[in-house]
Amino acid sequence: MIAVDAGNTLIKVVVFHDSGSVEGLKTWPAAAYEDCLNWLKQQSDSIWIADSSARTWPIGQQVSAASNWGFDLEYSAQIGLDRLASLRGAIHRHPRSAILMVSLGTCLTYSYLNQDGVFQGGAIAPGWAVRLKAMHHYTHSLPALPTDDLTSPADWNPSDPRTSSTAQSMMRGAFRGMIDEIDAEVERFSAINSDLIVIIHGGDAPSFVNHLKKGIFANENWTALGLWAMSQN
């Protein structure tokens, strides 16, 4: 089975064995959609696609908000398919559990599934790179910091709020601000369900997970796993 996780900047294609283990991973820039499509047309395996950028694929099974996700939605139809597919993957790993998926990518998103199997949304906020870019873009006086390969600041001291440069101040504001924001939001969800399983994922997750009070990180493509789980129904 082949799972296609198509976003605004990157298309990730994961090939699964029948057992659900990963056989291989291929990626294309979103602008190379046609190249990815041509490769898929040469494959004989079943293809499941979650496209968060609203492209229509003339191949395979393309999921939508109306698909059978294996849980109920108390939410509008306008929702990112990556959020739903990731949650479906988490259910495969943690069945019959209350789950909070915290995704650290272009946006910081929270996706909550209660113990009764009902999706009840969660906040969406700017991600790490977006915060840094916005400070430069909207002020013009603050510098443009590199955001292509963000990692935890080398001189990072979580308990010391003092800084020695504008760049350091911006980095601390974005990084520490997200840590505090995530910790506080997780606490709010934990107050609803104390047995909550918190999963931290997304491209920026490795930089943050060791600084957060709660949450597990697994190096897994949750969206692709969710598509594989749906293909087994």
Side-chain angles (χ1 to χ4, degrees):
M1 177 268 180
I2 298 174
V4 180
D5 174 11
N8 293 309
T9 58
L10 192 67
I11 300 172
K12 290 174 280 188
V13 175
V14 181
V15 181
F16 286 92
H17 294 291
D18 292 340
S19 63
S21 61
V22 174
E23 178 181 336
L25 169 68
K26 296 177 71 68
T27 61
W28 285 265
Y33 158 79
E34 293 289 345
D35 293 337
C36 177
L37 180 60
N38 289 335
W39 182 85
L40 290 171
K41 288 179 178 178
Q42 299 173 29
Q43 310 308 309
S44 58
D45 293 334
S46 65
I47 299 170
W48 285 65
I49 302 168
D51 194 313
S52 301
S53 64
R55 282 178 296 251
T56 299
W57 295 68
I59 193 172
Q61 175 73 37
Q62 186 165 358
V63 298
S64 70
S67 296
N68 179 12
W69 294 99
F71 52 86
D72 296 325
L73 299 179
E74 285 185 0
Y75 204 83
S76 69
Q78 187 177 0
I79 179 172
L81 298 178
D82 53 340
R83 294 177 74 187
L84 297 177
S86 294
L87 198 51
R88 182 65 183 86
I91 291 171
H92 179 71
R93 292 282 186 252
H94 305 281
R96 297 177 295 279
S97 301
I99 300 170
L100 178 65
M101 301 285 288
V102 183
S103 176
L104 290 88
T106 304
C107 288
L108 166 61
T109 64
Y110 306 83
S111 302
Y112 174 64
L113 184 86
N114 71 15
Q115 65 275 13
D116 297 319
V118 180
F119 175 75
Q120 296 181 314
I124 301 175
W128 191 7
V130 171
R131 295 174 192 227
L132 294 172
K133 291 177 180 178
M135 284 189 275
H136 168 68
H137 178 76
Y138 286 104
T139 66
H140 303 293
S141 60
L142 293 175
L145 301 183
T147 57
D148 289 339
D149 190 22
L150 287 170
T151 57
S152 303
D155 54 355
W156 174 247
N157 182 349
S159 62
D160 188 352
R162 295 171 295 180
T163 59
S164 59
S165 69
T166 298
Q168 191 182 64
S169 297
M170 293 170 65
M171 185 62 75
R172 179 179 175 85
F175 192 71
R176 179 77 244 185
M178 285 182 65
I179 291 171
D180 292 344
E181 180 181 335
I182 294 168
D183 282 341
E185 200 73 350
V186 168
E187 285 301 313
R188 295 183 186 102
F189 278 106
S190 296
I192 298 172
N193 191 311
S194 59
D195 295 324
L196 185 68
I197 293 174
V198 180
I199 297 174
I200 311 297
H201 70 116
D204 290 333
S207 294
F208 282 85
V209 67
N210 290 330
H211 300 287
L212 300 172
K213 294 179 180 178
K214 188 174 182 180
I216 57 176
F217 171 75
N219 187 19
E220 187 152 25
N221 188 314
W222 293 99
T223 299
L225 179 62
L227 293 173
W228 177 84
M230 292 178 72
S231 75
Q232 302 306 297
N233 293 338

